[in-house]
Amino acid sequence: MKSDELLALFLRRGVLWPTAEIYGGAQGLYDYGPLGAALKRRIEDAWTSWFVGLSPDYYRIEPAELLPEAVVRASGHLENFTDPEIVCDACHTPFRAETVLEAVRPEGVDGLSVAQIAEIAHANHVKCPRCGSEALSVPAPFNMMFGVDFGVTGKERAYLRPETAQNSFLAFPRMWEVGRHALPLGVAVVGKAYRNEIAPRQVLFRLRAFTQAELQIFFDPEHFDRPIDPFRDVRLPVLRVERRERGEETPEFIRAEDLVASGGLPAFYVHHMVQFHRFFREVLAYPEESIRFFEKSEKERAFYNKIQFDAEVRLESFGGYKELGAVHYRGDYDLTRHAEGSGKDLAVTVGEGRSVLPHVLELTFGVDRNLWGLGDLHLRTEDARTVWHLPPFLAPVSVGVFPLIAKAHGAYAQRLADDLARAGLTVQYDAASSIGRRYARIDEAGTPYGVTVDAGTLDEGPEHDTVTVRERDSRSQARVPVGELVGRLAGALRLPRPPRI
RNA sequence: GCGGGCAUAGUGUAGUCUGGUUAUCACAUAGGCUUGCCAAGCCUAUAACUCGGGUUCAAAUCCCGGUGCCCGCACCA
């Protein structure tokens, strides 16, 4: 679905709206309404059920969203979060310092101060790539973290976390004990992260407050290549660097085993790519042809990542592939930095007394972006009606309950709606306007089932205490005894968990 | 952040160039009548010129600024 169309629908149905709208809004901030909040919760629960379910040694924690300054200093976010820029004073165009100085300083600008970068530019008479002016200046690097006063004196600083990953690294020593000394050890966090983005845009794609679902897996690097259970014949849509360099945009389907055997990727890494792919397919129901795992080259990926595939999905709303998640091999960068920063030894002892500083595999997933993706890919207009083909277990409301004729069947239907809600279903009762309109309303909200009470339900005939269950996608109807309703629907509404490979 | 464009009921829009009646239309929403299993019909109601300043007898319309949105560049998990 097109971006404008999707946003209009989301606004109309109360999925989301701009924060502080009556004051003109605030860039990069959106609030979720009832439908959006419920859907987002379902996505988070589905993600947790799936990824934490991958192993008994994977856990979810819920840490604080504020990080003391020492943490972000050690993690590198305080200095390194943005690359230094060079701005042309003549045409006001900003460039990455590294790019502009490439000819005169091929080794890059890491570690140089603002003054040193400016000096190099002037000494070599570097010109603006766009207008040729030599009037270049180097502004102080912009840090994308939100800093806050911490404590009553205001002398201490803390920062809203720019990513949830840091919390998992900080939790490692505790989790090593709580997890009873097991590797691999997974520590998941689902929660808000905050970045003062320069140019928030595209609704949920670059927010200043956004929700990440991340799983950091600490593992023994000696086991990275250890063969794990066979991948059977799983094929992954991957676009590797060599193929990209030939100008290809589309992925090729490569057997997981081949990615390991001839593709040079560690088995443990590929195993988690397979699980990520299955989550996209089996839980979010993204079409196979929309997904690709996009390999980042050494230049493109963050410096701490040794292997990086972005999990991308092609969205009509933004006319191309968008990053909705990623699989990062971060090596021992994080634990090394935090061991140095804190002065604590973060190595652990495994097996017969071998000391190991675990490496980290990071699975990261953008909750807001995927909520948008579920709208883009599953909302379809079909002969003048709009249907949100959400997987049933993700639907904000599971069942709509309607009286065929409000006056005649309303009391029974209202009672039935209460009973279903008490049984744990999310239910919406609606008696307004015609039955067709009510079906249309729930179709648009992604509700998979409609239950209608009619004359047969109330009559002392063969249809006594039966209702019609109408299915969103097929529009088919079946007569079901009310006592069997919960049992009938429960299966489709249960969150999927990963099968053991 | 730079450049360009845009901003009218809940949603989508007409009107702006060329200032001048009660601001157009559709859908949505609420109530009534009727109907009774896929957005039916009729009647009624609710509801808007992004904010601030300026020009003018008069501003949705022209000018300036703020805010927000879109596109390109730059940046980016």
Side-chain angles (χ1 to χ4, degrees):
Chain A
M1 189 171 263
K2 298 253 187 302
S3 174
D4 293 355
E5 220 181 328
L6 189 51
L7 183 57
L9 184 108
F10 277 3
L11 288 168
R12 187 162 50 78
R13 291 304 302 248
V15 174
L16 51 79
W17 53 74
T19 297
E21 205 175 0
I22 62 169
Y23 286 96
Q27 268 187 59
L29 299 179
Y30 283 88
D31 295 347
Y32 289 103
L35 219 47
L39 175 57
K40 179 165 176 281
R41 176 64 65 89
R42 303 259 179 175
I43 297 169
E44 291 168 5
D45 289 347
W47 182 91
T48 304
S49 168
W50 186 269
F51 286 100
V52 175
L54 287 175
S55 160
D57 295 314
Y58 291 179
Y59 305 87
R60 174 172 165 180
I61 62 172
E62 183 155 332
E65 296 180 9
L66 283 172
L67 298 171
E69 186 165 80
V71 173
V72 292
R73 180 173 291 127
S75 68
H77 285 91
L78 208 48
E79 304 90 36
N80 277 328
F81 210 73
T82 54
D83 295 322
E85 278 190 345
I86 287 186
V87 177
C88 172
D89 295 333
C91 70
H92 305 293
T93 312
F95 304 93
R96 290 180 64 186
E98 196 175 278
T99 314
V100 179
L101 298 184
E102 198 166 17
V104 299
R105 197 182 162 84
E107 68 268 36
V109 297
D110 281 356
L112 296 182
S113 72
V114 166
Q116 286 170 315
I117 293 171
E119 174 53 31
I120 292 167
H122 291 142
N124 293 283
H125 299 287
V126 173
K127 293 182 172 58
C128 169
R130 182 162 163 208
C131 71
S133 164
E134 277 188 33
L136 301 178
S137 59
V138 186
F142 176 72
N143 192 284
M144 292 214 289
M145 285 193 296
F146 291 101
V148 294
D149 291 339
F150 194 67
V152 286
T153 62
K155 285 177 189 158
E156 292 171 82
R157 291 292 282 171
Y159 293 84
L160 290 171
R161 61 183 178 199
E163 59 177 14
T164 55
Q166 295 307 320
N167 291 112
S168 293
F169 306 140
L170 299 173
F172 175 69
R174 283 279 173 196
M175 286 306 299
W176 172 249
E177 299 301 331
V178 171
R180 293 174 13 214
H181 299 200
L183 289 183
L185 168 68
V187 181
V189 178
V190 178
K192 283 273 203 298
Y194 302 86
R195 293 184 194 175
N196 198 5
E197 292 285 355
I198 296 168
R201 214 172 273 189
Q202 296 186 318
V203 199
L204 300 183
F205 273 75
R206 213 181 308 172
L207 294 167
R208 286 185 168 146
F210 61 107
T211 301
Q212 293 186 307
E214 297 195 309
L215 171 64
Q216 311 295 323
I217 303 162
F218 302 91
F219 64 94
D220 183 342
E222 289 199 5
H223 296 171
F224 204 21
D225 295 313
R226 178 185 278 187
I228 30 182
D229 306 322
F231 301 110
R232 289 182 287 183
D233 275 328
V234 178
R235 286 168 188 272
L236 290 176
V238 296
L239 180 56
R240 303 213 60 174
V241 170
E242 312 87 71
R243 185 175 165 87
R244 288 179 50 207
E245 284 169 352
R246 296 199 302 269
E248 289 285 346
E249 285 286 308
T250 54
E252 51 187 340
F253 287 83
I254 303 181
R255 295 176 64 230
E257 281 165 326
D258 294 339
L259 283 173
V260 177
S262 50
L265 294 176
F268 190 70
Y269 187 94
V270 172
H271 169 75
H272 286 91
M273 277 177 90
V274 168
Q275 297 299 355
F276 208 121
H277 180 248
R278 297 182 77 129
F279 181 71
F280 269 0
R281 294 285 297 127
E282 295 169 29
V283 181
L284 304 183
Y286 293 156
E288 183 72 280
E289 65 275 11
S290 312
I291 305 170
R292 75 178 184 193
F293 283 89
F294 183 93
E295 186 177 23
K296 288 294 189 82
S297 69
E298 195 182 341
K299 280 206 148 186
E300 292 165 327
R301 62 189 183 234
F303 63 93
Y304 47 76
N305 283 332
K306 295 182 161 73
I307 309 172
Q308 176 175 348
F309 282 83
D310 285 351
E312 298 190 323
V313 176
R314 192 168 46 207
L315 299 180
E316 188 191 357
S317 52
F318 295 123
Y321 286 97
K322 299 293 283 184
E323 180 196 345
L324 300 189
V327 183
H328 299 152
Y329 170 43
R330 299 175 68 123
D332 62 359
Y333 172 77
D334 304 285
L335 289 188
T336 301
R337 294 292 300 242
H338 284 302
E340 285 169 9
S342 65
K344 302 284 192 302
D345 182 5
L346 298 179
V348 296
T349 306
V350 297
E352 275 103 60
R354 184 163 54 92
S355 176
V356 169
L357 186 64
H359 285 208
V360 170
L361 182 68
E362 172 184 76
L363 305 184
T364 177
F365 176 84
V367 175
D368 314 277
R369 289 177 171 197
N370 279 278
L371 188 149
W372 183 270
L374 287 169
D376 180 294
L377 288 162
H378 295 320
L379 258 164
R380 285 195 288 279
T381 303
E382 298 155 356
D383 40 83
R385 78 173 59 201
T386 306
V387 183
W388 200 351
H389 295 282
L390 282 173
F393 46 82
L394 291 181
V397 176
S398 306
V399 195
V401 178
F402 316 123
L404 186 59
I405 303 169
K407 284 173 197 154
H409 316 125
Y412 189 104
Q414 182 78 67
R415 207 162 50 236
L416 177 60
D418 287 346
D419 289 346
L420 294 178
R422 243 186 295 278
L425 298 174
T426 340
V427 181
Q428 192 162 50
Y429 175 79
D430 188 358
S433 55
S434 69
I435 188 72
R437 188 176 296 252
R438 290 177 227 150
Y439 286 147
R441 269 196 283 252
I442 64 167
D443 282 346
E444 196 178 61
T447 302
Y449 304 106
V451 167
T452 301
V453 172
D454 59 18
T457 315
L458 303 182
D459 290 349
E460 291 295 337
E463 294 186 335
H464 182 66
D465 278 342
T466 65
V467 291
T468 54
V469 176
R470 181 260 193 188
E471 220 180 68
R472 179 195 62 202
D473 296 344
S474 63
R475 295 195 210 173
S476 64
Q477 295 195 354
R479 197 100 209 159
V480 175
V482 288
E484 293 174 20
L485 268 178
V486 175
R488 283 277 193 111
L489 304 181
L493 298 174
R494 195 170 295 129
L495 285 176
R497 283 173 60 92
R500 295 272 168 258
I501 288 193

